[in-house]
Amino acid sequence: MTSHATAATAARPEARSGALGRVAGSPLARLITRRVLVAIPLLLAISLLVFVLLELLPGDPAQVQAGMDATPEEVEAVRRRLGLDRPAPERYLSWLFGVLTGNLGVSSVQQKPVTEILATALPPTIEIVALAFIVSLVVALPVALLAARKPGGFFDRTIMVISMALLAIPNYVLALLLVLIFAVAFRGMLPSLGYVPISAGLWPNLRTVILPVLALSIPLMAFYARFLRGDLVEQINSADYVDTARAKGVGSWRILWQHAFRNSSFGLLTIVGLNIGGLIGGTVIIEQIFSIRGLGMEMLQALGARDIAVVQICVFIFAAVAIAANLIVDVLYAVLDPRIRYGRN
Amino acid sequence: MKSSVRGGRSAVRLFGTLAVALSLVVAGTACAAGGQPTDENGNVEVGDPQPGGSLTVLLDAGFAGGWATGLDPATSNTTGANLPQNAAIFGGLFTLEPGEDGEGGQIVPNQAEGYEWSEDGLTLTVTLRDGITFTDGTPFNAEAVLWNWIRELSSGSTGAPRIDLNTSLEPPQLDQAFLDDLFAALPEDVDRDALNGRLNAIRVVDDLTIEMHLNAVNGSLINGFPGANLNLIASPTAYKEMGARTFSEKPVGAGPFIVTANTQSQRLELEKNPDYFKDGLPYLDALNFQSAAGDQVLYQSLLAGDGQVVEGLSSVTLIQEARNNPDVQVVLGTPTSPYVIQLNTRKPPFDDKRAREAIYYATDFAAINKGLFNDEGEMSQSFTASGGLFWHDTVPGYREYDPEKAAEIVEEIGGLTVRLGTTDIVTARSVTTALQTQWEEAGIDVQIDAEPLGDVINRFLAGDWDALLQTAGAWDPSVGIGVGVRFGSTSPFSGAPLPEGAANAGDAIAQGLTTELDDMLAAAIATTDDDERFEVYQQISKYISDEAYAPFGMAFSPAQVMKKGVHGPGLDQPIPALAVNQGVLYDRVWIEESAR
């Protein structure tokens, strides 16, 4: 790069760093920046809400942790140890400052830093949620396309019945059924309990996550398949551009894949974004059933023991993931539809 | 439309076929192992113990399967729940052994050689077995016991023993190195005065003898050992080398097994202690504890082969199902703790004795026992059942089920509305639903609150409750969640009245005020004579019944459910439950070779 060129780019701020500068100055980047800026106060508001809700929970965390027959003096000692004798606003600000500086506090029950608890609890939860999400989409998309190709046909009707049945089964019941089939009936095929980290080997790890992932993803894949199939059929039956494509002699697969699916993907994206929160919430039960010490199980046990530092950060993470998922969906909208990027829709 | 229906039928057929295939596979799996040899009376013949094999025990995550505060006896808050893990790692100074023919139980010295009370009953002398070593090779001696007891009394655990020690004795001569190690193993903010007082009261006599000096006679102290952290002796040297955190995850004791891996509240893996002090024991090469959520998951995991034992299965339907499974053996524990409906006498409506009487008359626990527990629960009129010490089957004047009388009282007091709370577990919820139906027949309006245990505890602590379905009692009524916890006026889990002149429990303690019931509860442990204790407990039962503080129901002991071929004390030989689950003596648990 010559000095002349450098001077020229310096004179044009939007082109300051070449391609990066173009992205940074693009409508998409502005959209992302705007949404991230909105997400920050939203996260703050959620953290405050979580703090207030924990404060409003019935009972006294100090008394719960002091035990069944603690004397009032002992309860007071626990209260001091947990810092609960300080005013609530001071405790909230102190917690917030800690989070911003990477200090998430110490679990009052486990007596270890919350970061350490998260380091062991996050990997299984992330793995299960990510795999469940991928599996549900990977199965639902082709199934929906196949079903929508011949609405009312045998495959379509079979899929609709099966998906309705799967949707009606709560995921904890499904989890128990899966255990009954794959662990009890076909004894030894898959374990009914526990989690083996990837560091112990890919197959040992996968064996322990297959059933939890299926329990989480099966209702989701049924839901996505039904939703996408319905949207695709509506597009095919009512959209003018489909009629035009048909008139041009475009084949049914191409209409489905290249025309109808692109439009239907907006609806699917919205649903997927909304479902991320539910998917993470589902891990609370699934981790219990499969005895996996993930984020959901940590939160549930911490809630029972009024381990405030752990509950606060778990709920905060759940909320942050839901916000991030919606942010990603919004960005994907903008990528798929330039009208949104430029604020025209 | 027609084709749609056809499609639906196809799907139904598909599911039907799958279901039939599944049930055949399950049935096939269940029947595969067949029965066991029996003698002419039909009893299963159990041969001599066979060493070897590995056993995985499935524990309920909500109780024994939770050890979030670790397994260091001085800092664990769940010692009473973690009896299986403790028995395996530490063994214990004393054990509760099964009685002959499965009836009753008795305290037996284990790592202790014996114990003795002084004539005035104020000094307990415990002697230790000679030659025991911790699994790190260091000696198991009186100084180690002193180090453990002082830590257990001073480390701030919610399970810390509450013993009225005589702290006014002359300070003993203690080795400075010992004191340095002890202080290093205690919280920084430990109360030094209290600590010094405890060091005055608990004294090493010689290498194998230790004394505990009390202010008052405590007749239940030794009976409380098997469920308390005082029973668990860990290696001070290992603690010093490992540090608090690592030690709480991989504690070192002198028990039958050594910890090899521990994922807290999830899985604990142990291997045989080759230098265990009992020759030929333990039988097992390895022992694992796996936590799982709830009875259904526990039972399914057993069937799936992910474990060979479920400790403490309480769901009646699953117990029944397990009984019908030829692969599985089910042993019900000896009951000690009956259900009880605690009534909060400190606020309306149960500050009125007539309202409490109405509940007694409206409650038909016998019908609930028949309907929900297949008549297998043992009916009780007081805080203990046949497995407990000092059990008495009836209480004179106990108010029996009489719905007409209940309805009359309800009318007389102008109606009765009750919030009936319980812990959110299936069996307890079923009982409260049945109670709701019975009470409503007597004109009582009932609202059920089924909440997690933590919330129920909070209700107790806040005094925000009318009636709560709980279990009461323990093997020794004054140990653990015993009669004092449920009926002592200063216990936060009591609904019995406060002493006159006391604004709250703290006030009563500060002023030294007691109720008549408190005095009887104190008298029940103020003697080491079991006959005297028995008489006082009868008086306590009568008092609770006369004052209508709490109707008692059936005592139902959770079952030990095992794969065929697993044996041992506490598994196929019942031991009375110390509080909730019975203990298992894992050094003598063994598996038949054919069942491995």
Side-chain angles (χ1 to χ4, degrees):
Chain A
M1 188 174 282
T2 64
S3 59
H4 176 75
T6 310
T9 49
R12 287 188 293 124
E14 70 275 16
R16 204 169 288 150
S17 45
L20 191 65
R22 278 196 298 281
V23 172
S26 71
L28 184 61
R30 281 202 299 274
L31 176 83
I32 294 171
T33 310
R34 201 165 59 236
R35 295 306 307 268
V36 169
L37 288 175
V38 170
I40 292 169
L42 192 58
L43 276 172
L44 277 174
I46 287 169
S47 73
L48 184 62
L49 184 68
V50 171
F51 183 84
V52 171
L53 288 175
L54 287 173
E55 286 288 303
L56 293 176
L57 272 180
D60 178 353
Q63 282 188 311
V64 172
Q65 292 193 20
M68 290 188 79
D69 48 357
T71 63
E73 292 76 28
E74 286 165 335
V75 174
E76 277 314 304
V78 173
R79 197 186 311 284
R80 277 195 302 278
R81 181 167 58 78
L82 299 180
L84 294 171
D85 53 340
R86 293 181 297 155
E90 189 187 322
R91 277 185 284 127
Y92 172 70
L93 289 174
S94 153
W95 175 80
L96 191 62
F97 180 75
V99 171
L100 293 174
T101 54
N103 175 10
L104 304 182
V106 174
S107 158
S108 56
V109 173
Q110 299 186 45
Q111 294 295 317
K112 55 184 173 187
V114 175
T115 43
E116 212 171 292
I117 294 169
L118 291 183
T120 52
L122 274 174
T125 304
I126 290 172
E127 185 184 358
I128 290 166
V129 169
L131 284 177
F133 179 64
I134 292 165
V135 167
S136 58
L137 279 178
V138 164
V139 174
L141 292 185
V143 164
L145 285 165
L146 278 170
R149 190 168 174 237
K150 281 189 183 166
F154 175 75
F155 183 77
D156 183 36
R157 280 184 282 116
T158 307
I159 287 299
M160 287 304 100
V161 170
I162 292 175
S163 60
M164 181 56 85
L166 292 176
L167 272 174
I169 306 174
N171 59 9
Y172 63 90
V173 175
L174 191 62
L176 294 175
L177 281 174
L178 287 168
V179 169
L180 191 67
I181 297 168
F182 293 102
V184 178
F186 299 106
R187 192 173 154 174
M189 181 187 263
L190 292 169
S192 64
L193 293 170
Y195 172 80
V196 173
I198 299 173
S199 57
L202 185 62
W203 177 234
N205 165 259
L206 283 178
R207 282 192 81 229
T208 57
V209 297
I210 288 174
L211 293 184
V213 165
L214 285 177
L216 269 181
S217 61
I218 285 174
L220 213 55
M221 65 177 74
F223 181 62
Y224 290 159
R226 285 185 74 86
F227 180 84
L228 185 59
R229 177 259 177 207
D231 209 25
L232 285 169
V233 170
E234 199 181 316
Q235 293 283 338
I236 291 165
N237 289 342
S238 61
D240 292 341
Y241 67 88
V242 173
D243 291 338
T244 310
R246 277 201 187 113
K248 284 180 180 173
V250 178
S252 60
W253 270 116
R254 222 174 124 194
I255 290 172
L256 256 179
W257 180 245
Q258 286 195 343
H259 298 275
F261 179 68
R262 188 179 167 93
N263 275 338
S264 295
S265 61
F266 286 96
L268 185 66
L269 262 180
T270 310
I271 294 297
V272 167
L274 290 172
N275 270 340
I276 291 286
L279 193 60
I280 295 170
T283 62
V284 176
I285 295 166
I286 293 302
E287 285 173 6
Q288 286 282 314
I289 290 175
F290 291 100
S291 195
I292 294 171
R293 204 156 182 86
L295 203 61
M297 193 193 255
E298 287 290 353
M299 189 182 78
L300 206 64
Q301 293 193 351
L303 199 59
R306 296 291 189 273
D307 192 348
I308 303 295
V310 177
V311 178
Q312 241 167 341
I313 203 68
C314 289
V315 180
F316 187 71
I317 290 172
F318 283 150
V321 171
I323 289 171
N326 281 294
L327 176 68
I328 291 166
V329 167
D330 285 351
V331 171
L332 285 175
Y333 274 155
V335 170
L336 289 168
D337 188 346
R339 290 173 301 174
I340 293 171
R341 210 177 310 162
Y342 292 101
R344 286 183 215 145
N345 195 342
Chain B
M1 188 64 183
K2 272 183 187 170
S3 60
S4 169
V5 170
R6 225 169 30 237
R9 280 180 186 157
S10 304
V12 168
R13 273 202 302 275
L14 177 69
F15 275 110
T17 311
L18 277 173
V20 170
L22 180 63
S23 61
L24 284 173
V25 173
V26 173
T29 322
C31 294
Q36 284 188 310
T38 54
D39 62 18
E40 66 253 22
N41 300 321
N43 297 319
V44 174
E45 282 180 6
V46 178
D48 292 333
Q50 296 161 2
S54 162
L55 186 79
T56 296
V57 179
L58 301 160
L59 303 171
D60 188 345
F63 186 60
W67 60 97
T69 48
L71 295 165
D72 176 351
T75 53
S76 163
N77 288 349
T78 51
T79 302
N82 301 145
L83 295 178
Q85 299 93 322
N86 297 337
I89 300 167
F90 300 104
L93 290 170
F94 297 90
T95 51
L96 179 60
E97 297 279 337
E100 284 176 22
D101 306 323
E103 289 297 317
Q106 55 180 338
I107 295 284
V108 171
N110 185 45
Q111 290 161 335
E113 178 79 46
Y115 71 94
E116 195 174 28
W117 285 106
S118 61
E119 265 186 37
D120 61 4
L122 295 176
T123 303
L124 172 70
T125 305
V126 175
T127 49
L128 306 175
R129 278 186 204 279
D130 196 8
I132 301 180
T133 54
F134 292 108
T135 57
D136 61 355
T138 55
F140 184 103
N141 56 20
E143 202 170 71
V145 174
L146 175 66
W147 182 89
N148 275 274
W149 282 3
I150 296 294
R151 280 190 74 229
E152 285 158 1
L153 287 158
S154 317
S155 291
S157 158
T158 58
R162 294 172 199 286
I163 304 172
D164 188 7
L165 293 169
N166 181 359
T167 57
S168 63
L169 300 173
E170 282 294 306
Q173 289 292 320
L174 287 163
D175 181 48
Q176 191 56 44
F178 170 82
L179 287 175
D180 291 345
D181 287 350
L182 177 63
F183 289 142
L186 286 168
E188 282 177 10
D189 61 349
V190 69
D191 182 336
R192 288 294 174 108
D193 290 339
L195 182 69
N196 289 330
R198 287 170 195 141
L199 286 166
N200 296 347
I202 302 172
R203 291 160 172 260
V204 169
V205 178
D206 60 41
D207 202 37
L208 295 175
T209 313
I210 189 162
E211 279 178 359
M212 186 185 278
H213 297 269
L214 308 176
N215 277 326
V217 174
N218 187 341
S220 66
L221 184 62
I222 289 290
N223 289 342
F225 261 73
N229 44 11
L230 282 180
N231 203 41
L232 311 174
I233 305 303
S235 163
T237 313
Y239 182 94
K240 193 176 170 185
E241 285 170 4
M242 296 165 85
R245 276 282 304 285
T246 310
F247 187 80
S248 82
E249 285 166 12
K250 289 188 174 179
V252 175
F257 294 93
I258 302 167
V259 182
T260 56
N262 177 8
T263 310
Q264 280 185 198
S265 298
Q266 191 170 311
R267 190 173 173 86
L268 179 69
E269 296 183 1
L270 313 164
E271 66 180 21
K272 178 179 188 160
N273 171 9
D275 300 318
Y276 189 52
F277 73 97
K278 295 179 188 172
D279 284 342
L281 296 180
Y283 294 121
L284 295 169
D285 290 334
L287 176 64
N288 307 313
F289 293 101
Q290 172 69 53
S291 179
D295 281 1
Q296 181 67 42
V297 178
L298 287 164
Y299 184 60
Q300 283 198 176
S301 300
L302 180 82
L303 296 184
D306 289 325
Q308 291 81 41
V309 173
V310 175
E311 265 202 48
L313 194 76
S314 58
S315 160
V316 180
T317 46
L318 284 175
I319 290 171
Q320 198 54 47
E321 198 178 318
R323 279 179 167 149
N324 295 331
N325 185 338
D327 255 0
V328 170
Q329 49 181 336
V330 179
V331 179
L332 277 181
T334 320
T336 58
S337 309
Y339 273 103
V340 59
I341 305 159
Q342 281 189 265
L343 303 173
N344 190 356
T345 65
R346 301 178 190 186
K347 66 192 252 309
F350 296 122
D351 56 348
D352 183 340
K353 188 175 175 181
R354 292 173 301 169
R356 305 200 295 268
E357 287 177 321
I359 294 295
Y360 270 75
Y361 290 127
T363 301
D364 185 3
F365 265 127
I368 294 173
N369 189 31
K370 189 172 185 179
L372 291 178
F373 295 89
N374 299 327
D375 258 340
E376 291 195 76
E378 183 180 88
M379 297 306 295
S380 178
Q381 296 184 344
S382 188
F383 43 79
T384 189
S386 62
L389 289 169
F390 317 122
W391 177 60
H392 38 283
D393 59 350
T394 55
V395 176
Y398 190 87
R399 294 170 188 83
E400 304 266 13
Y401 176 58
D402 187 341
E404 284 171 18
K405 219 166 184 175
E408 274 171 32
I409 296 174
V410 171
E411 200 177 325
E412 183 190 321
I413 60 177
L416 182 56
T417 303
V418 180
R419 250 170 58 212
L420 174 61
T422 186
T423 313
D424 189 15
I425 50 176
V426 177
T427 315
R429 262 188 284 142
S430 306
V431 174
T432 50
T433 306
L435 287 171
Q436 183 183 37
T437 310
Q438 291 175 0
W439 292 1
E440 281 177 348
E441 278 169 18
I444 302 168
D445 291 327
V446 187
Q447 179 202 320
I448 294 178
D449 290 330
E451 296 171 307
L453 180 62
D455 292 343
V456 172
I457 290 175
N458 277 319
R459 281 208 182 279
F460 269 120
L461 296 172
D464 179 25
W465 59 282
D466 293 345
L468 283 167
L469 181 76
Q470 301 291 305
T471 53
W475 177 65
D476 181 316
S478 289
V479 165
I481 306 173
V483 62
V485 171
R486 295 283 178 230
F487 297 98
S489 72
T490 54
S491 160
F493 303 91
S494 163
L498 285 164
E500 259 182 58
N504 52 48
D507 189 28
I509 293 168
Q511 292 191 61
L513 299 172
T514 57
T515 62
E516 197 180 338
L517 185 52
D518 289 337
D519 297 339
M520 283 195 270
L521 290 168
I525 56 167
T527 172
T528 50
D529 182 320
D530 279 357
D531 291 337
E532 280 180 44
R533 294 190 71 199
F534 183 70
E535 267 180 42
V536 181
Y537 285 119
Q538 280 186 312
Q539 290 166 22
I540 292 171
S541 294
K542 178 90 172 68
Y543 189 92
I544 291 169
S545 168
D546 287 350
E547 293 298 321
Y549 286 158
F552 290 90
M554 57 276 146
F556 183 80
S557 181
Q560 309 292 51
V561 181
M562 300 145 274
K563 284 293 175 82
K564 284 270 168 70
V566 179
H567 308 282
L571 292 179
D572 59 350
Q573 283 176 275
I575 299 176
L578 286 160
V580 180
N581 288 351
Q582 57 180 317
V584 179
L585 304 173
Y586 275 104
D587 59 354
R588 278 162 280 163
V589 168
W590 61 281
I591 318 176
E592 290 174 24
E593 212 164 320
S594 56
R596 288 176 201 158

